Amino acid sequence: MKKAKPLATRLRQARTLLLIWKTALRDSHMSRQPGPNYGKVDGPMAIELQRFDAARQALTEAINLTKGPKA
């Protein structure tokens, strides 16, 4: 049977996966049409990307909580 990884390690892996997923979504929804919107995403996708940032921040806070109180 596989040894269970510590919670902090699993949280870090989840945070990394969110970053990869966010990058893939951003790249796939980026405007490739010449003009002022080149390289930008539309409004709904920008909101979705902000949700990814909020989820990553929550995971970072959870990782910091697993470290315990600072001395």
Side-chain angles (χ1 to χ4, degrees), residues 11-71:
L11 289 172
R12 282 188 202 97
Q13 289 173 340
R15 184 177 61 182
T16 301
L17 181 61
L18 279 176
L19 178 62
I20 293 168
W21 193 4
K22 175 189 171 191
T23 303
L25 275 176
R26 186 191 68 232
D27 290 348
S28 68
H29 286 83
M30 216 183 287
S31 173
R32 296 194 175 29
Q33 300 296 325
N37 289 334
Y38 183 79
K40 296 181 182 176
V41 294
D42 62 356
M45 182 50 63
I47 293 169
E48 190 67 24
L49 294 175
Q50 288 175 350
R51 292 177 60 201
F52 274 93
D53 290 337
R56 288 192 74 236
Q57 181 60 35
L59 283 170
T60 299
E61 291 172 12
I63 291 168
N64 289 337
L65 288 174
T66 62
K67 294 178 183 176
K70 292 182 180 178

